[in-house]
Amino acid sequence: MEKRIRVLVAKPGLDGHDRGAKVVARALRDAGFEVIYTGLRQTPEQIAEAALQEDVNVIAMSILSGAHPHLFPKVVELVREKGMDDVLIIGGGVIPEGDIPALKKAGIAEVFTPGTKTGDIVKFIKEHVK
Amino acid sequence: MSNEKEKIQAELDAYNASVEKAVARFPERANLPEQRLYTPLDIQDTDYADDISFPGVYPYTRGVQPTMYRGRFWTMRMYAGFSTAEESNKRYRYLIESGASGLSCAFDLPTQIGYDSDDSISEGEVGKVGVAIDSLADMEILFDHIDLGKVSTSMTINAPASVLLAMYIAVGEKQGVKPEQLKGTIQNDILKEYAARGTYIFPPRPSMRLITNIFEYCSQNVPKWNTISISGYHIREAGSTASQEIAFTISDGIAYVEAAIKAGLDVDAFAGRLSFFWNAHNNLLEEVAKFRASRRIWAKVMKERFHAKKEKSMKLRFHTQTAGSMLTAQQPNNNIVRVALQTAAAVMGGTQSLHTNSRDEALALPTEESVMVALRTQQIVAYESGLADVIDPLAGSYYVEAMTNKIEQEAWDYINKIDEMGGAVSAIEKGYIQKEIQDSAYKWQMDVESGAKVIVGVNKFQVEEKPVEGLLRVDSSVGEKQKQKLADMKAKRDNEAVKKALVDLEAACKNENENLMPHILNAVRTYATLGEICNVMRKVFGEYEAHTNL
């Protein structure tokens, strides 16, 4: 049997709005993925460590506070430093269009903004996870 | 009367039979949760004198003041704050000049969670979703040239509410304004932080102590201050339904009243200063019914359960904010219309104060221009629409009265269930309230994705869109500036005095019978920072760890 895709849903930074993260987590689980949720206020170091310990294929982060330009790239950097080259890293939240090119350049595979269907996230993961 | 009922029933049956064919042609509109038509039959158990009555009269269904907006309009209180104290001070003065009648401070996340701007955990967050406040020095700048004796200020602050209130009192002292003249509100509602919003610091028990300490201190020293704003807003934003919003919030309110009574306070000494905070969603009539039902429930809770004697203790006064979660990033100008409808709901529902969201808030913090449109929306509703001319204009509507009854019943079912679980604190500790909210949020999302729930511009009537230009960006240098300011302030203050005040605060934290407010106020006056004060409390009280169950 094929190994199920494992996803870490993470909330980096101090923002406590986790409606989006929890809805996405549940939709991913309903789509057949194994989902681990970190809870709030995770530092980039904690997220990278959890990804390593849990041996995940995907890290899906959510931020609404505007701290994404600082925190998203930092997670990518730490994850790659730990040798997890295949882990797919995606992000979402209140993220202005103008910020997206820089995030992609930093290694965020895709950024999902408000109004996204959870089905589109599922599809993206299935198509891009290695 | 019963003859009349039979007559209406017969005519209703005939009507239903006559439209059956027409309705069958539109199956997509057949399964809405509401009945097609409401008649006197739907409110036959409602008694005008007991259940509805007059404005300013128990159970306050029609409003808490006898004259409502025929006396004066609600407070138009725009929520604002970003970047540094200097920048936010400019925005406040701009809003006051534009006719806003109250201030509402948004603090950045490090401030809300009790960290200084130079803490490593604050990196990337300083000044982003609100203003950064590290010490009294920042608060003095925030209210520079704003007379605290004249303006009323609401502060969206919860876990460290005691510290920010102390800073506000201290700024007042410096301006020559006595604490008894200060008017405003601190949100100070920790239970909804555990259940829905996430900016908690300490575990529930010490958090409840801080809240009751504030109730007691203010009842003696800052009598015009609203000591808590029990908030359903965030519960709704996290995904709850209208009934859940008021049920969970009123259960939290019950927990605060119980804690205060247990701490030895007389219910009528503090209950008059409890206030509420509701969300205004898109479904205008359901929302009006929600506001009306909430007043009736709280009045009954205070009278029947807590035996309050003063009328003021039974009146549910509330601030409203239009629903941020209902704004779309798609076709953002449509949000102006949504906000106008939500404003109409809040006004017909009898709010005491209102914040209207700006059209661009699903994208970023609002620009000055967007904030102006949002404020003008309130002014147009107030001065041009006629909605504020008549008190509780929808009373007597078969539908609105039936909906008010239905929401009230659904809320009581939840409140009773939470009581059986041992109250709101235990229900939150068990994860029950969080689970109910998450289930509703997930159902909403699935309904949107299936198209059962139409969101204009998102799942219907989409267009190709150009990226929105001119969004507000908080300069990333804010964090560095704020750190520098903090270092300069620390070099100038009397560090011995700070140390002494913090040692004294720590001792007070360890003595459960001591009110912490005077000690926090002393620490604030020495320019001890928010982080230093909260760290003392963290050391004694510990930190809350949330459930991560899905």
Side-chain angles (χ1 to χ4, degrees):
Chain A
M1 206 181 106
E2 203 186 336
K3 195 173 157 274
R4 281 167 77 191
I5 294 174
R6 285 170 70 82
V7 186
L8 184 74
V9 173
K11 280 288 294 176
L14 299 180
D15 129 59
H17 295 95
D18 54 1
R19 173 179 182 167
K22 285 175 168 170
V23 165
V24 167
R26 199 150 150 189
L28 297 182
R29 181 184 290 173
D30 283 359
F33 302 162
E34 282 183 54
V35 180
I36 303 118
Y37 175 49
T38 60
L40 300 175
R41 292 189 213 165
Q42 299 296 299
T43 62
E45 289 77 10
Q46 287 171 321
I47 293 169
E49 188 56 32
L52 184 69
Q53 296 303 325
E54 298 283 354
D55 190 23
V56 297
N57 311 98
V58 184
I59 301 172
M61 294 181 283
S62 163
I63 293 191
L64 283 83
S65 71
H68 54 272
H70 178 77
L71 294 169
F72 280 178
K74 207 154 179 203
V75 171
V76 178
E77 201 180 296
L78 291 166
V79 166
R80 300 302 178 222
E81 259 175 33
K82 288 182 186 286
M84 290 177 277
D85 296 328
D86 285 350
V87 171
L88 179 73
I89 306 179
I90 58 178
V94 176
I95 295 170
E97 285 289 323
D99 290 355
I100 294 175
L103 293 176
K104 287 196 169 168
K105 209 170 154 210
I108 302 293
E110 189 55 272
V111 176
F112 297 96
T113 51
T116 300
K117 280 187 179 180
T118 57
D120 292 343
I121 304 174
V122 170
K123 192 165 161 250
F124 183 86
I125 291 174
K126 282 184 176 160
E127 284 171 4
H128 291 84
V129 85
K130 283 175 196 161
Chain B
M1 188 71 187
S2 83
N3 250 347
E4 197 184 326
K5 271 186 215 159
E6 281 164 23
K7 200 174 143 201
I8 297 171
Q9 186 65 57
E11 285 177 18
L12 180 63
D13 292 343
Y15 160 80
N16 280 330
S18 75
V19 296
E20 220 166 83
K21 240 188 189 167
V23 169
R25 290 210 306 273
F26 306 101
E28 72 277 15
R29 301 279 298 161
N31 295 320
L32 297 178
E34 302 313 318
Q35 287 166 217
R36 187 160 50 237
L37 189 75
Y38 287 77
T39 69
L41 298 177
D42 295 296
I43 53 166
Q44 51 187 318
D45 296 330
T46 305
D47 181 274
Y48 183 80
D50 286 349
D51 301 323
I52 303 173
S53 195
F54 288 87
V57 176
Y58 185 89
Y60 310 104
T61 311
R62 306 201 67 179
V64 289
Q65 296 121 350
T67 57
M68 291 301 290
Y69 310 137
R70 288 301 288 256
R72 64 173 187 88
F73 289 132
W74 61 95
T75 304
M76 299 184 192
R77 193 191 291 283
M78 300 303 281
Y79 184 48
F82 59 100
S83 185
T84 57
E86 286 85 354
E87 285 290 319
S88 296
N89 175 262
K90 270 191 233 161
R91 179 68 70 97
Y92 294 159
R93 285 158 71 176
Y94 170 78
L95 284 167
I96 290 171
E97 281 160 23
S98 305
S101 42
L103 295 176
S104 176
C105 301
F107 298 100
D108 72 357
L109 286 162
T111 305
Q112 290 184 48
I113 308 175
Y115 294 112
D116 288 338
S117 298
D118 61 359
D119 199 302
S120 64
I121 204 166
S122 305
E123 236 174 279
E125 309 268 19
V126 175
K128 283 285 163 59
V129 300
V131 56
I133 299 293
D134 290 318
S135 75
L136 178 58
D138 291 323
M139 255 337 225
E140 288 165 3
I141 297 165
L142 190 66
F143 294 105
D144 186 35
H145 282 87
I146 296 172
D147 183 350
L148 298 195
K150 290 204 175 119
V151 74
S152 86
T153 304
S154 167
M155 295 193 276
T156 301
I157 195 74
N158 293 282
S162 53
V163 185
L164 272 294
L165 172 61
M167 287 181 184
Y168 195 83
I169 295 170
V171 173
E173 283 169 355
K174 300 217 157 185
Q175 288 188 358
V177 179
K178 294 193 179 100
E180 53 265 38
Q181 289 171 265
L182 296 176
K183 280 193 294 190
T185 308
I186 33 174
Q187 198 166 83
N188 200 23
D189 170 5
I190 204 67
L191 293 175
K192 64 95 179 38
E193 295 295 335
Y194 305 121
R197 186 164 170 265
T199 53
Y200 40 73
I201 305 177
F202 318 114
R205 270 169 49 109
S207 295
M208 296 298 273
R209 171 186 169 191
L210 276 165
I211 290 169
T212 52
N213 283 177
I214 291 171
F215 288 178
E216 183 182 47
Y217 185 83
C218 287
S219 69
Q220 291 159 7
N221 302 283
V222 202
K224 289 184 189 162
W225 197 265
N226 293 316
T227 49
I228 194 165
S229 172
I230 309 165
S231 304
Y233 184 80
H234 316 88
I235 288 172
R236 192 71 180 279
E237 289 291 289
S240 83
T241 63
S243 307
Q244 287 172 341
E245 177 188 346
I246 57 169
F248 298 156
T249 308
I250 285 175
S251 286
D252 289 349
I254 290 170
Y256 296 126
V257 174
E258 274 175 353
I261 290 173
K262 212 171 145 200
L265 305 185
D266 174 60
V267 67
D268 284 313
F270 66 86
R273 300 300 342 166
L274 306 180
S275 64
F276 285 79
F277 176 19
W278 299 135
N279 201 308
H281 249 238
N282 288 357
N283 189 326
L284 191 154
L285 298 173
E286 182 183 48
E287 292 300 279
V288 172
K290 176 188 83 181
F291 299 131
R292 301 174 85 247
S294 71
R295 278 191 292 265
R296 198 152 72 195
I297 298 173
W298 187 246
K300 288 181 190 169
V301 166
M302 294 311 289
K303 187 176 187 176
E304 292 165 17
R305 178 166 180 155
F306 294 115
H307 312 292
K309 303 267 181 309
K310 285 191 190 164
E311 284 208 11
K312 192 145 195 241
S313 308
M314 303 174 211
K315 292 181 179 184
L316 184 148
R317 295 168 302 127
F318 66 102
H319 170 72
T320 305
Q321 180 173 338
T322 59
S325 61
M326 289 297 98
L327 302 184
T328 64
Q330 291 75 14
Q331 304 176 40
N333 282 341
N334 295 346
N335 294 327
I336 297 173
V337 182
R338 294 190 176 98
V339 170
L341 286 167
Q342 295 159 354
T343 301
V347 168
M348 287 196 276
T351 196
Q352 274 60 61
S353 101
L354 177 62
H355 165 90
T356 34
N357 288 90
S358 298
R359 61 183 160 183
D360 45 3
E361 288 189 56
L363 300 158
L365 285 184
T367 62
E368 216 164 71
E369 193 194 353
S370 309
V371 169
M372 183 59 88
V373 174
L375 174 60
R376 292 290 181 253
T377 304
Q378 295 200 38
Q379 291 162 337
I380 290 167
V381 168
Y383 293 94
E384 300 181 20
S385 73
L387 294 181
D389 296 352
V390 174
I391 301 168
D392 189 26
L394 295 178
S397 148
Y398 307 128
Y399 172 66
V400 169
E401 293 298 352
M403 190 56 150
T404 303
N405 294 343
K406 178 173 167 242
I407 290 181
E408 182 180 358
Q409 191 52 53
E410 286 174 359
W412 280 121
D413 291 346
Y414 268 119
I415 293 167
N416 293 336
K417 186 153 186 192
I418 291 166
D419 275 344
E420 280 164 25
M421 295 173 85
V425 177
S426 335
I428 288 165
E429 280 169 351
K430 289 180 181 125
Y432 169 74
I433 292 176
Q434 296 93 312
K435 176 81 171 43
E436 290 296 302
I437 297 170
Q438 279 169 42
D439 286 350
S440 298
Y442 193 61
K443 184 180 179 306
W444 173 277
Q445 179 65 23
M446 292 304 114
D447 284 350
V448 171
E449 295 193 12
S450 72
K453 189 124 222 140
V454 172
I455 310 292
V456 171
V458 173
N459 63 1
K460 209 167 184 165
F461 314 114
Q462 299 98 319
V463 291
E464 275 296 317
E465 286 181 76
K466 279 191 287 206
V468 181
E469 282 171 23
L471 294 176
L472 184 132
R473 291 196 67 91
V474 175
D475 195 334
S476 54
S477 66
V478 168
E480 288 310 312
K481 267 191 227 156
Q482 191 64 21
K483 270 193 217 174
Q484 189 55 49
K485 233 169 51 177
L486 183 55
D488 293 347
M489 186 281 295
K490 279 186 183 170
K492 275 195 296 193
R493 70 182 183 182
D494 177 352
N495 282 307
E496 278 308 305
V498 173
K499 214 165 135 190
K500 192 177 167 302
L502 293 176
V503 167
D504 173 54
L505 173 63
E506 186 174 338
C509 288
K510 288 177 181 162
N511 178 2
E512 282 208 21
N513 297 319
E514 194 143 8
N515 191 314
L516 294 175
M517 276 307 291
H519 304 280
I520 293 169
L521 193 52
N522 280 343
V524 159
R525 286 191 190 114
T526 68
Y527 293 84
T529 66
L530 175 73
E532 288 166 337
I533 294 170
C534 288
N535 281 341
V536 165
M537 294 197 267
R538 277 190 183 96
K539 199 168 129 195
V540 182
F541 298 149
E543 289 189 68
Y544 177 71
E545 292 217 16
H547 289 273
T548 53
N549 306 344
L550 289 171

